[in-house]
Amino acid sequence: MTITSVKRTHNFSAGPAALPLEVLEKAQRELVDFQSAGMSVMEMSHRSKEFSGVIESAEARARRLLNISDEYAVLFLQGGASLQFSMIPMNLCLPGKSVDVVNTGSWTKKAIKELNKIGESNIIASSEDKNFSYIPSLDQLNFNADASYSYITSNNTIAGTQWKEFPKTPTPLVADMSSDIVSRKINVNDFGIIFAGAQKNIGPSGVTLVIIRKDLLERADAALPTMLQYRTHVDNKSLYNTPPTFGIYMIDLVFEWLEAKGGLDAIEAINIQKAKRLYDAFDGEFYICPVAEGSRSDMNVVFRIQNNEELEAQFVKEATAAGLSGLKGHRSVGGLRASIYNACPEESVDALISFMKDFESRNR
Ligand SMILES: *Cc1c(COP(=O)(O)O)cnc(C)c1O
């Protein structure tokens, strides 16, 4: 039985999220016998020639997709995006210098909490005054030249906002791109560190992609725990200890799929269209989008139904029965959310829009 004979749901999960069906099917075909090795990729040494090929390919594809220069290292780490909240200040904080942060939501707040255990945060702007429903405008941001580094969350998975343009900062810009990595073109050279948990846009949970400018490796105190120093992982090409081999293999397949689709130019155009169709379906009376125009995420589309929690619960229940899953908003904010990452097909967005119209006609 192949996966295609199984009924697949329209999956709007925020994370772990949908993976491309072609990728799952290829992994299925290769599962019990990878490259004629007579074993799966999960069962072989991380130092085997087969797995070396996988991790080298995943890095090469990341470099091609994102146009990453030799001045940057590409790492596949563990501990999720959440461990980066600690590793970044441990490795990058300079004595007596605080960190400039733009606070745009729950994930930034968690990063600030960890940063404050190690160094000092300086919140130069925040959208908490309006429930994180917007991204502060670039001309209001005053980054300090004597900060250790600057920190932002490029896409706010829970609030449904996304930076459309990035600030030019006098200190290295660190960005949590967990929920929009490889969804659009970016200029990696504008950043000191980019990091992303894999489970939104590039693979299964258990791997974190870190792109780090090599000169920043010199900052960390050699007394830091070995596993928590970026230089350990750079010196050992992400193979200091056993890496999450299966997850890295899946990332390679997802990147292969992306390259075949035409890379970031192509996927960005598709993502903009998908998001636009969905936002256009909100009339502002029955379906309400709480996010400011100009800040709306192309990845996580957050909406309400007449601010009526009962109707929203009814919507989720009926949508699930109709084969549309994962539409409940994050438990901390309520409401509804459709996560439409790279792997969410256009047909799923269309199915959601027709369901929304039907639901509205029955409940108006
Ligand atoms: C999901 C998410 C995280 C947390 O990722 P983990 O891998 O679970 O630690 C952090 N930041 C953002 C923006 C996220 O969307």
Side-chain angles (χ1 to χ4, degrees):
M1 189 174 73
T2 64
I3 288 178
T4 23
S5 69
V6 173
K7 192 179 178 308
R8 298 264 299 167
T9 185
H10 294 294
N11 184 356
F12 300 98
S13 171
L19 286 163
L21 181 58
E22 295 93 320
V23 165
L24 295 173
E25 287 175 334
K26 183 164 183 189
Q28 185 188 43
R29 285 197 301 277
E30 295 183 334
L31 188 67
V32 299
D33 183 14
F34 181 66
Q35 294 183 353
S36 306
M39 61 181 81
S40 81
V41 72
M42 280 180 274
E43 301 169 289
M44 60 178 56
S45 167
H46 53 296
R47 310 205 186 270
S48 63
K49 81 171 176 350
E50 290 87 355
F51 187 72
S52 301
V54 169
I55 195 166
E56 280 164 20
S57 167
E59 175 176 342
R61 290 188 203 280
R63 287 188 182 277
R64 283 199 296 271
L65 280 166
L66 286 157
N67 202 8
I68 304 171
S69 80
D70 287 344
E71 278 171 49
Y72 289 78
V74 175
L75 302 174
F76 300 99
L77 304 183
Q78 301 188 62
S82 298
L83 184 61
Q84 296 306 307
F85 297 165
S86 305
M87 261 178 95
I88 290 161
M90 284 175 142
N91 283 265
L92 258 54
C93 278
L94 297 167
K97 295 187 177 210
S98 56
V99 176
D100 285 348
V101 181
V102 182
N103 181 13
T104 54
S106 318
W107 290 115
T108 321
K109 282 173 87 169
K110 286 197 167 162
I112 293 166
K113 183 178 166 209
E114 298 309 309
L115 160 59
N116 286 342
K117 294 183 178 183
I118 292 145
E120 199 188 322
S121 58
N122 176 21
I123 315 297
I124 63 155
S126 168
S127 51
E128 196 161 17
D129 58 333
K130 290 184 181 158
N131 278 327
F132 297 119
S133 61
Y134 69 101
I135 299 288
S137 77
L138 291 190
D139 51 27
Q140 286 171 1
L141 305 178
N142 291 311
F143 289 92
N144 297 294
D146 65 347
S148 286
Y149 59 95
S150 309
Y151 185 94
I152 62 168
T153 308
S154 65
N155 183 76
N156 297 278
T157 325
I158 297 173
T161 62
Q162 185 176 30
W163 291 74
K164 300 295 170 182
E165 240 187 295
F166 294 109
K168 293 266 183 275
T169 53
T171 60
L173 180 59
V174 175
D176 177 355
M177 293 198 186
S178 292
S179 50
D180 69 350
I181 187 86
V182 299
S183 72
R184 55 173 170 168
K185 283 173 292 174
I186 52 162
N187 183 0
V188 170
N189 298 322
D190 290 343
F191 300 88
I193 294 183
I194 292 168
F195 68 98
Q199 68 273 22
K200 313 302 180 12
N201 236 340
I202 58 175
S205 60
V207 194
T208 310
L209 179 70
V210 176
I211 302 164
I212 179 168
R213 214 173 66 207
K214 287 176 184 164
D215 62 292
L216 297 173
L217 299 170
E218 303 314 316
R219 288 196 186 185
D221 187 336
L224 273 184
T226 309
M227 277 291 285
L228 298 181
Q229 293 185 37
Y230 289 117
R231 65 164 85 77
T232 302
H233 301 290
V234 173
D235 290 348
N236 292 280
K237 294 181 166 298
S238 304
L239 292 164
Y240 171 73
N241 70 326
T242 318
T245 52
F246 191 74
I248 294 169
Y249 159 74
M250 289 296 289
I251 290 177
D252 184 48
L253 294 187
V254 170
F255 285 169
E256 179 184 46
W257 172 83
L258 253 184
E259 288 192 300
K261 258 188 134 50
L264 299 195
D265 278 307
I267 203 76
E268 174 172 333
I270 296 170
N271 286 334
I272 289 173
Q273 275 313 309
K274 268 160 45 185
K276 184 177 183 319
R277 287 217 296 284
L278 201 42
Y279 285 113
D280 284 350
F282 302 149
D283 60 356
E285 283 175 31
F286 191 76
Y287 295 111
I288 300 160
C289 180
V291 180
E293 263 177 73
S295 295
R296 292 179 178 178
S297 169
D298 290 339
M299 296 282 101
N300 308 97
V301 177
V302 165
F303 58 107
R304 312 274 334 218
I305 299 177
Q306 297 182 331
N307 296 313
N308 178 332
E309 283 174 26
E310 257 169 63
L311 259 188
E312 287 167 350
Q314 182 72 13
F315 181 95
V316 171
K317 199 170 147 223
E318 290 183 21
T320 309
L324 304 145
S325 82
L327 290 164
K328 200 165 185 273
H330 190 267
R331 56 199 150 81
S332 63
V333 294
L336 301 162
R337 170 177 58 175
S339 296
I340 51 170
Y341 302 119
N342 288 356
C344 172
E346 289 160 278
E347 301 81 67
S348 292
V349 173
D350 292 337
L352 173 58
I353 293 170
S354 9
F355 175 81
M356 286 168 61
K357 289 195 174 132
D358 181 55
F359 185 85
E360 177 175 358
S361 69
R362 286 181 286 111
N363 293 283
R364 230 197 143 88

